[in-house]
Amino acid sequence: EKYKEAIKCYDNAIEFNSKNSTAWYNKGLTLNLLKIYEEAITCYDKVIELDPKDVDAWCNKGNSLVSLRDHWKAITCYDKVIELDPKNSAAWRFKGQTLNLLKIYEEAIRCYDKAIEFNPKNSDAWCHKGNSLNGLRRDKEAIKCYDKAIEFNSKNSTAWRFKGLTLNLLKIYEEAIKCYDKVIELDP
């Protein structure tokens, strides 16, 4: 309900000034939260029309496209962010995640490595790199990535879960159970 009210406020701001990129951007974020991805993309496109170098609009447009399973268009958006801001760790990570969804694991790992290069303590990048390594059945390397993710964010339940799943695949059951216990503790 509050989101719908927020959208009305953004619409009023846009009606008052159709070149208000902040209102367009925030409306896009709100629509994305409501899972109204096509309209969110329209808002991000308007921001990009007003400022073609707005990396946040490009990045969030990519995220909305991923939600619509339009992975290649999303990658194009992340590539645009990287072109504008080569050290943008988030864009590298999002591109890696999208490539991982497409099972293009080696290239995804290269993207995570760039994300980590620009933000070495990025727990999510370490975790997702582990997932891509798992996709290549490089399970022991994946566990090292999950350990790094946990080192930088001990409350990263996703890293604990995937570490547990990987240990289970390797038949290291007692350690896997400890990971699952941690997941239950963090996400009951």
Side-chain angles (χ1 to χ4, degrees):
E1 192 62 41
K2 287 183 181 180
Y3 292 140
K4 290 178 182 175
E5 193 175 310
I7 289 171
K8 286 180 186 173
C9 292
Y10 298 132
D11 284 339
N12 288 338
I14 291 164
E15 190 177 322
F16 181 73
N17 176 6
S18 64
K19 293 185 178 184
N20 182 338
S21 64
T22 302
W24 281 109
Y25 179 77
N26 288 332
K27 181 180 177 182
L29 289 177
T30 307
L31 288 164
N32 200 60
L33 289 169
L34 292 169
K35 300 183 186 324
I36 306 172
Y37 303 117
E38 291 91 348
E39 287 184 42
I41 291 166
T42 301
C43 292
Y44 298 134
D45 282 340
K46 187 64 179 176
V47 175
I48 291 163
E49 179 186 315
L50 294 167
D51 179 6
K53 294 182 179 181
D54 189 314
V55 294
D56 293 328
W58 280 108
C59 221
N60 281 295
K61 178 181 177 179
N63 295 344
S64 292
L65 286 163
V66 168
S67 296
L68 292 172
R69 292 178 163 59
D70 199 342
H71 299 111
W72 291 108
K73 280 187 184 173
I75 288 169
T76 301
C77 291
Y78 302 136
D79 283 340
K80 185 65 177 179
V81 175
I82 292 164
E83 175 190 317
L84 294 167
D85 180 8
K87 294 182 180 181
N88 189 308
S89 180
W92 283 108
R93 180 171 58 88
F94 291 140
K95 181 178 178 182
Q97 287 173 242
T98 307
L99 289 163
N100 191 66
L101 290 169
L102 295 168
K103 299 184 183 336
I104 305 173
Y105 300 121
E106 293 286 355
E107 192 173 340
I109 291 166
R110 284 191 287 277
C111 290
Y112 297 132
D113 286 340
K114 291 299 267 186
I116 291 164
E117 176 186 338
F118 301 124
N119 183 0
K121 294 182 179 181
N122 186 330
S123 180
D124 290 335
W126 281 106
C127 182
H128 290 294
K129 180 179 178 180
N131 293 346
S132 289
L133 288 163
N134 265 339
L136 295 170
R137 304 304 326 146
R138 290 164 52 188
D139 298 325
K140 290 180 181 173
E141 290 174 74
I143 289 172
K144 289 178 184 174
C145 288
Y146 298 134
D147 285 339
K148 285 299 250 185
I150 292 163
E151 175 186 335
F152 296 125
N153 179 3
S154 62
K155 294 182 180 179
N156 185 335
S157 62
T158 304
W160 282 106
R161 182 167 47 93
F162 282 112
K163 180 180 179 183
L165 290 168
T166 306
L167 288 165
N168 193 55
L169 287 172
L170 295 172
K171 300 182 185 337
I172 306 172
Y173 300 120
E174 285 184 32
E175 290 298 313
I177 290 168
K178 289 178 187 174
C179 292
Y180 297 141
D181 287 342
K182 189 67 177 178
V183 171
I184 292 167
E185 174 189 320
L186 294 169
D187 272 333

PDB file of all heavy atoms in Angstrom, residues 22 45 54 72 76 97 118 126 137 139 186:
ATOM      1  N   THR A  22      15.326  11.864 -10.762  1.00  0.00           N
ATOM      2  CA  THR A  22      15.250  11.213  -9.444  1.00  0.00           C
ATOM      3  C   THR A  22      13.869  10.592  -9.234  1.00  0.00           C
ATOM      4  O   THR A  22      13.763   9.459  -8.741  1.00  0.00           O
ATOM      5  CB  THR A  22      15.557  12.220  -8.316  1.00  0.00           C
ATOM      6  OG1 THR A  22      16.857  12.771  -8.550  1.00  0.00           O
ATOM      7  CG2 THR A  22      15.512  11.566  -6.952  1.00  0.00           C
ATOM      8  N   ASP A  45      14.579   3.528 -18.410  1.00  0.00           N
ATOM      9  CA  ASP A  45      14.860   4.037 -19.760  1.00  0.00           C
ATOM     10  C   ASP A  45      14.710   5.554 -19.809  1.00  0.00           C
ATOM     11  O   ASP A  45      15.486   6.237 -20.485  1.00  0.00           O
ATOM     12  CB  ASP A  45      13.940   3.378 -20.794  1.00  0.00           C
ATOM     13  CG  ASP A  45      14.380   1.971 -21.167  1.00  0.00           C
ATOM     14  OD1 ASP A  45      15.565   1.627 -20.941  1.00  0.00           O
ATOM     15  OD2 ASP A  45      13.529   1.210 -21.680  1.00  0.00           O
ATOM     16  N   ASP A  54      24.005   7.430 -16.320  1.00  0.00           N
ATOM     17  CA  ASP A  54      23.503   7.078 -14.990  1.00  0.00           C
ATOM     18  C   ASP A  54      23.679   5.569 -14.764  1.00  0.00           C
ATOM     19  O   ASP A  54      22.861   4.759 -15.192  1.00  0.00           O
ATOM     20  CB  ASP A  54      22.034   7.474 -14.838  1.00  0.00           C
ATOM     21  CG  ASP A  54      21.536   7.320 -13.414  1.00  0.00           C
ATOM     22  OD1 ASP A  54      21.808   6.273 -12.786  1.00  0.00           O
ATOM     23  OD2 ASP A  54      20.886   8.253 -12.922  1.00  0.00           O
ATOM     24  N   TRP A  72      20.357 -11.824 -21.758  1.00  0.00           N
ATOM     25  CA  TRP A  72      21.331 -11.187 -22.645  1.00  0.00           C
ATOM     26  C   TRP A  72      21.171  -9.675 -22.668  1.00  0.00           C
ATOM     27  O   TRP A  72      22.153  -8.938 -22.710  1.00  0.00           O
ATOM     28  CB  TRP A  72      21.277 -11.796 -24.048  1.00  0.00           C
ATOM     29  CG  TRP A  72      21.809 -13.205 -24.011  1.00  0.00           C
ATOM     30  CD1 TRP A  72      21.087 -14.360 -24.123  1.00  0.00           C
ATOM     31  CD2 TRP A  72      23.156 -13.597 -23.765  1.00  0.00           C
ATOM     32  NE1 TRP A  72      21.918 -15.448 -23.975  1.00  0.00           N
ATOM     33  CE2 TRP A  72      23.197 -15.016 -23.760  1.00  0.00           C
ATOM     34  CE3 TRP A  72      24.350 -12.913 -23.545  1.00  0.00           C
ATOM     35  CZ2 TRP A  72      24.368 -15.742 -23.556  1.00  0.00           C
ATOM     36  CZ3 TRP A  72      25.516 -13.633 -23.332  1.00  0.00           C
ATOM     37  CH2 TRP A  72      25.518 -15.022 -23.343  1.00  0.00           C
ATOM     38  N   THR A  76      23.908  -6.775 -21.443  1.00  0.00           N
ATOM     39  CA  THR A  76      24.207  -5.545 -22.188  1.00  0.00           C
ATOM     40  C   THR A  76      24.167  -4.329 -21.259  1.00  0.00           C
ATOM     41  O   THR A  76      25.014  -3.432 -21.357  1.00  0.00           O
ATOM     42  CB  THR A  76      23.202  -5.365 -23.347  1.00  0.00           C
ATOM     43  OG1 THR A  76      23.286  -6.510 -24.203  1.00  0.00           O
ATOM     44  CG2 THR A  76      23.498  -4.120 -24.158  1.00  0.00           C
ATOM     45  N   GLN A  97      26.529 -13.115 -11.984  1.00  0.00           N
ATOM     46  CA  GLN A  97      25.344 -13.869 -11.585  1.00  0.00           C
ATOM     47  C   GLN A  97      24.491 -14.232 -12.796  1.00  0.00           C
ATOM     48  O   GLN A  97      23.944 -15.334 -12.873  1.00  0.00           O
ATOM     49  CB  GLN A  97      24.513 -13.057 -10.588  1.00  0.00           C
ATOM     50  CG  GLN A  97      25.131 -12.974  -9.207  1.00  0.00           C
ATOM     51  CD  GLN A  97      24.376 -12.039  -8.295  1.00  0.00           C
ATOM     52  OE1 GLN A  97      24.920 -11.054  -7.850  1.00  0.00           O
ATOM     53  NE2 GLN A  97      23.130 -12.336  -8.003  1.00  0.00           N
ATOM     54  N   PHE A 118      37.865  -5.160  -7.118  1.00  0.00           N
ATOM     55  CA  PHE A 118      37.475  -3.795  -6.790  1.00  0.00           C
ATOM     56  C   PHE A 118      36.817  -3.677  -5.415  1.00  0.00           C
ATOM     57  O   PHE A 118      36.688  -2.578  -4.883  1.00  0.00           O
ATOM     58  CB  PHE A 118      36.568  -3.224  -7.879  1.00  0.00           C
ATOM     59  CG  PHE A 118      37.236  -3.204  -9.227  1.00  0.00           C
ATOM     60  CD1 PHE A 118      36.658  -3.828 -10.307  1.00  0.00           C
ATOM     61  CD2 PHE A 118      38.474  -2.595  -9.393  1.00  0.00           C
ATOM     62  CE1 PHE A 118      37.288  -3.830 -11.553  1.00  0.00           C
ATOM     63  CE2 PHE A 118      39.107  -2.585 -10.625  1.00  0.00           C
ATOM     64  CZ  PHE A 118      38.512  -3.208 -11.704  1.00  0.00           C
ATOM     65  N   TRP A 126      32.073 -13.413  -3.450  1.00  0.00           N
ATOM     66  CA  TRP A 126      32.770 -14.652  -3.086  1.00  0.00           C
ATOM     67  C   TRP A 126      31.806 -15.838  -3.120  1.00  0.00           C
ATOM     68  O   TRP A 126      32.140 -16.914  -3.642  1.00  0.00           O
ATOM     69  CB  TRP A 126      33.403 -14.525  -1.702  1.00  0.00           C
ATOM     70  CG  TRP A 126      34.681 -13.763  -1.678  1.00  0.00           C
ATOM     71  CD1 TRP A 126      34.876 -12.496  -1.202  1.00  0.00           C
ATOM     72  CD2 TRP A 126      35.959 -14.206  -2.155  1.00  0.00           C
ATOM     73  NE1 TRP A 126      36.195 -12.123  -1.358  1.00  0.00           N
ATOM     74  CE2 TRP A 126      36.881 -13.159  -1.936  1.00  0.00           C
ATOM     75  CE3 TRP A 126      36.405 -15.382  -2.750  1.00  0.00           C
ATOM     76  CZ2 TRP A 126      38.221 -13.256  -2.279  1.00  0.00           C
ATOM     77  CZ3 TRP A 126      37.747 -15.485  -3.101  1.00  0.00           C
ATOM     78  CH2 TRP A 126      38.640 -14.429  -2.866  1.00  0.00           C
ATOM     79  N   ARG A 137      32.050 -28.278 -11.057  1.00  0.00           N
ATOM     80  CA  ARG A 137      32.424 -29.406 -10.187  1.00  0.00           C
ATOM     81  C   ARG A 137      33.806 -29.202  -9.559  1.00  0.00           C
ATOM     82  O   ARG A 137      34.519 -30.157  -9.296  1.00  0.00           O
ATOM     83  CB  ARG A 137      32.363 -30.755 -10.926  1.00  0.00           C
ATOM     84  CG  ARG A 137      31.054 -31.101 -11.574  1.00  0.00           C
ATOM     85  CD  ARG A 137      29.799 -31.122 -10.735  1.00  0.00           C
ATOM     86  NE  ARG A 137      29.972 -31.551  -9.361  1.00  0.00           N
ATOM     87  CZ  ARG A 137      29.268 -31.068  -8.342  1.00  0.00           C
ATOM     88  NH1 ARG A 137      28.359 -30.153  -8.542  1.00  0.00           N
ATOM     89  NH2 ARG A 137      29.477 -31.504  -7.135  1.00  0.00           N
ATOM     90  N   ASP A 139      34.556 -28.359  -6.522  1.00  0.00           N
ATOM     91  CA  ASP A 139      33.919 -28.201  -5.220  1.00  0.00           C
ATOM     92  C   ASP A 139      34.864 -27.715  -4.119  1.00  0.00           C
ATOM     93  O   ASP A 139      34.462 -26.906  -3.284  1.00  0.00           O
ATOM     94  CB  ASP A 139      33.253 -29.517  -4.805  1.00  0.00           C
ATOM     95  CG  ASP A 139      32.154 -29.924  -5.781  1.00  0.00           C
ATOM     96  OD1 ASP A 139      31.468 -29.035  -6.303  1.00  0.00           O
ATOM     97  OD2 ASP A 139      31.997 -31.136  -6.026  1.00  0.00           O
ATOM     98  N   LEU A 186      20.567 -18.589  11.497  1.00  0.00           N
ATOM     99  CA  LEU A 186      20.487 -17.291  10.849  1.00  0.00           C
ATOM    100  C   LEU A 186      19.136 -17.017  10.210  1.00  0.00           C
ATOM    101  O   LEU A 186      18.650 -15.891  10.191  1.00  0.00           O
ATOM    102  CB  LEU A 186      21.594 -17.164   9.782  1.00  0.00           C
ATOM    103  CG  LEU A 186      23.020 -17.153  10.310  1.00  0.00           C
ATOM    104  CD1 LEU A 186      24.014 -17.291   9.148  1.00  0.00           C
ATOM    105  CD2 LEU A 186      23.291 -15.867  11.075  1.00  0.00           C
TER     106      LEU A 186
END
